[in-house]
Amino acid sequence: RDGTAYLLREAGAGDQAQRFDVLRYPAEEGEVQVRNQRRARPSAALAGSTELKDIAELQWRASLPVTTGLMALLSAAIGIGRPRTGVFPRLMLAVGAYVVVFNVAALARTMLENGDVPAMPGLWWSVLVPALAFLGMWQWRR
């Protein structure tokens, strides 16, 4: 409402400005194309697919909550500190763990999409990273 639309040319000559009270843009009739259809599809539809990208999307959806839960356990183990010690080293360890775990998960997803790893174990091997880190921290604390 109450604006100006500009049409700018590459050469700079012949630029136009047009004032309007209300701007309406008519949308074309028909089916709307979803930009990333794979991410918009329901999980049940992905489950029946044999395409590696669909399998990777489904496994990503399933493994992310598991990875997040393991990261919560790992962060609790990292957060336990000795009295009168600084927080900064534990904070840097937690940030480093986050970066490593979620980059490994993204790498595993890309590897599955490209066919570099089979559909089983697929992304599930990447869940071992936070699990092993948690077990290592737990054993070290004991």
Side-chain angles (χ1 to χ4, degrees):
R1 297 186 182 273
D2 191 30
T4 306
Y6 298 96
L7 177 61
L8 305 175
R9 310 254 187 236
E10 280 187 34
D15 293 345
Q16 297 176 355
Q18 189 177 36
R19 297 221 10 94
F20 57 86
D21 294 324
V22 176
L23 179 65
R24 291 188 180 95
Y25 185 78
E28 293 181 21
E29 294 290 326
E31 188 175 318
V32 177
Q33 291 293 326
V34 177
R35 184 173 176 183
N36 192 343
Q37 292 180 356
R38 185 166 287 109
R39 289 189 180 183
R41 290 178 62 193
S43 297
L46 293 173
S49 177
T50 57
E51 266 190 70
L52 286 177
K53 290 188 177 193
D54 291 340
I55 294 169
E57 177 65 28
L58 183 63
Q59 287 187 10
W60 178 261
R61 292 179 190 183
S63 67
L64 203 56
V66 175
T67 303
T68 303
L70 288 169
M71 283 300 296
L73 292 173
L74 180 60
S75 66
I78 291 172
I80 298 170
R82 295 187 177 128
R84 294 180 296 278
T85 59
V87 177
F88 191 71
R90 289 191 310 259
L91 177 64
M92 288 295 99
L93 183 60
V95 169
Y98 171 81
V99 168
V100 168
V101 166
F102 284 101
N103 278 323
V104 166
L107 174 69
R109 180 179 184 174
T110 302
M111 289 174 68
L112 179 57
E113 287 176 349
N114 293 337
D116 296 333
V117 294
M120 190 46 79
L123 257 71
W124 293 106
W125 65 267
S126 68
V127 176
L128 291 176
V129 173
L132 292 175
F134 170 69
L135 290 174
M137 286 292 294
W138 188 40
Q139 287 297 325
W140 182 68
R141 293 284 182 194
R142 293 180 84 203

